[in-house]
Amino acid sequence: MLRIAVQSKGRLFDDTMALLSEADIKISTSKRTLLTQASNFPVEVLFLRDDDIPQTIASGVADIGIVGENEFVERNEKADIIYRLGFSKCRLSLAIHKEEPYEGLSWFEGKKIATSYPGILRSFLDKNNIRADIHVITGSVEIAPGIGLADAIFDIVSSGSTLISNNLKEVETVMKSEAVLIGYPGLSEEKKEILSQLLFRIEAVKAAEEKKYVLMNAPTDKVQEIIEVLPGIKSPTIMPLATEGWSSVHTVLDQKCFWEIIGKLKALGAQGILVLPIEKMIL
């Protein structure tokens, strides 16, 4: 049985449980308990606070865990990053009052900075030879300048709306973060095999993200030109239609270039274009 530590609530919890569900790992969360077992895969889930997960993995209490990279770096525990999951993205940034003129890092010299991430902040300040007073607080860091507790803050930023509502502006991005799968360095061979199976499922789910399965009818004499504009994962599937002179073309497109490619396909005579979501992709 592989034990995975997961954040007990919040956006990272939601994203993690969605990923496990898409990987067809059935876990009941209707009644929140500290530890629950999957019904169809040899894994059990341990629900914890996010800042407890790195230590739990490093000590071997759990085998693997999903945690924000920011928490992993801040805690500086002995565990390995196994896989970058690409969700729950954010950044750790320095922010000051919106009316303050800012011309560079020297602004922070001698200032008081409120943060929940003193380790990352201290490392950044030392690297840039900035001497500042770090005031460690938990909770609503963004209110610190408004109540006179600090001159600036160092905190997680996603959309930036919280900064705006507190009359702050982001001036320096120190670190970009996302959810990462971390692991205990001393896993047994049996647990490594289960982890390998889990990673296989996760990679299949992640590979399908931002991809679309596209089917279209096209004039047979235009098929070669159509193939040349398709950036599919491999050569597209071409099948003749009952109507003479027409073929069916099947391929996979990346969401990022989807509309640009569709426009070119239509210009080449493609018709009846169907676009379908992809649940999983085995590469």
Side-chain angles (χ1 to χ4, degrees), residues 79-119:
D80 300 323
I81 293 181
I82 298 171
Y83 192 86
R84 294 183 173 274
L85 294 163
F87 57 73
S88 295
K89 290 186 177 182
C90 63
R91 56 194 182 275
L92 283 174
S93 296
L94 286 157
I96 63 177
H97 192 275
K98 67 178 183 180
E99 301 297 335
E100 282 279 349
Y102 182 78
E103 295 182 355
L105 282 173
S106 60
W107 185 95
F108 294 98
E109 184 71 29
K111 297 294 198 301
K112 182 181 285 187
I113 308 173
T115 186
S116 299
Y117 300 93

Side-chain angles (χ1 to χ4, degrees), residues 212-214 253-263 265 273-275:
K212 301 293 182 184
Y213 189 75
V214 180
L253 291 181
D254 195 305
Q255 181 69 42
K256 292 181 227 177
C257 62
F258 174 77
W259 288 110
E260 176 187 353
I261 299 300
I262 290 298
L265 295 175
I273 302 173
L274 298 180
V275 182

Side-chain angles (χ1 to χ4, degrees), residues 188-205:
S188 67
E189 291 303 317
E190 291 81 2
K191 289 185 176 181
K192 285 181 181 179
E193 177 57 33
I194 299 172
L195 174 59
S196 177
Q197 295 174 33
L198 175 62
L199 286 173
F200 176 76
R201 295 191 182 197
I202 289 175
E203 288 169 351
V205 172

Side-chain angles (χ1 to χ4, degrees), residues 121-238:
L121 177 57
R122 173 56 63 200
S123 177
F124 175 77
L125 293 176
D126 288 348
K127 180 180 178 182
N128 290 279
N129 299 312
I130 302 294
R131 290 168 296 179
D133 181 15
I134 297 177
H135 188 75
V136 182
I137 60 176
T138 57
S140 302
V141 175
E142 64 275 359
I143 68 171
I147 62 176
L149 189 61
D151 303 300
I153 69 167
F154 176 63
D155 201 20
I156 289 175
V157 179
S158 294
S159 65
S161 59
T162 301
L163 295 181
I164 293 172
S165 64
N166 285 277
N167 296 313
L168 299 172
K169 63 181 178 181
E170 184 179 2
V171 293
E172 296 284 344
T173 298
V174 174
M175 173 186 174
K176 292 184 178 180
S177 177
E178 64 182 295
V180 291
L181 180 67
I182 62 174
Y184 175 62
L187 286 181
S188 67
E189 291 303 317
E190 291 81 2
K191 289 185 176 181
K192 285 181 181 179
E193 177 57 33
I194 299 172
L195 174 59
S196 177
Q197 295 174 33
L198 175 62
L199 286 173
F200 176 76
R201 295 191 182 197
I202 289 175
E203 288 169 351
V205 172
K206 301 302 290 182
E209 289 182 354
E210 303 299 324
K211 298 288 194 303
K212 301 293 182 184
Y213 189 75
V214 180
L215 306 83
M216 71 200 81
N217 296 333
T220 301
D221 60 1
K222 293 289 185 179
V223 165
Q224 188 56 45
E225 291 180 65
I226 287 174
I227 290 174
E228 290 172 1
V229 302
L230 291 176
I233 53 173
K234 282 191 178 179
S235 178
T237 300
I238 312 295

Side-chain angles (χ1 to χ4, degrees), residues 3-148:
R3 179 177 292 178
I4 177 172
V6 169
Q7 185 173 313
S8 59
K9 60 182 178 180
R11 185 181 67 159
L12 187 52
F13 165 81
D14 294 335
D15 290 342
T16 298
M17 300 314 292
L19 173 64
L20 294 176
S21 176
E22 289 168 4
D24 295 326
I25 297 174
K26 302 185 186 303
I27 299 168
S28 174
T29 57
S30 57
K31 293 182 181 179
R32 187 65 58 81
T33 57
L34 179 64
L35 188 67
T36 186
Q37 185 175 332
S39 61
N40 64 340
F41 193 81
V43 68
E44 56 184 4
V45 178
L46 178 63
F47 296 104
L48 298 172
R49 284 169 48 97
D50 58 345
D51 51 1
D52 289 333
I53 293 176
Q55 183 181 17
T56 301
I57 304 304
S59 63
V61 173
D63 303 307
I64 59 173
I66 294 178
V67 68
E69 187 176 4
N70 54 304
E71 286 292 346
F72 177 66
V73 173
E74 175 65 27
R75 301 300 159 185
N76 194 28
E77 296 284 354
K78 292 183 179 179
D80 300 323
I81 293 181
I82 298 171
Y83 192 86
R84 294 183 173 274
L85 294 163
F87 57 73
S88 295
K89 290 186 177 182
C90 63
R91 56 194 182 275
L92 283 174
S93 296
L94 286 157
I96 63 177
H97 192 275
K98 67 178 183 180
E99 301 297 335
E100 282 279 349
Y102 182 78
E103 295 182 355
L105 282 173
S106 60
W107 185 95
F108 294 98
E109 184 71 29
K111 297 294 198 301
K112 182 181 285 187
I113 308 173
T115 186
S116 299
Y117 300 93
I120 297 173
L121 177 57
R122 173 56 63 200
S123 177
F124 175 77
L125 293 176
D126 288 348
K127 180 180 178 182
N128 290 279
N129 299 312
I130 302 294
R131 290 168 296 179
D133 181 15
I134 297 177
H135 188 75
V136 182
I137 60 176
T138 57
S140 302
V141 175
E142 64 275 359
I143 68 171
I147 62 176

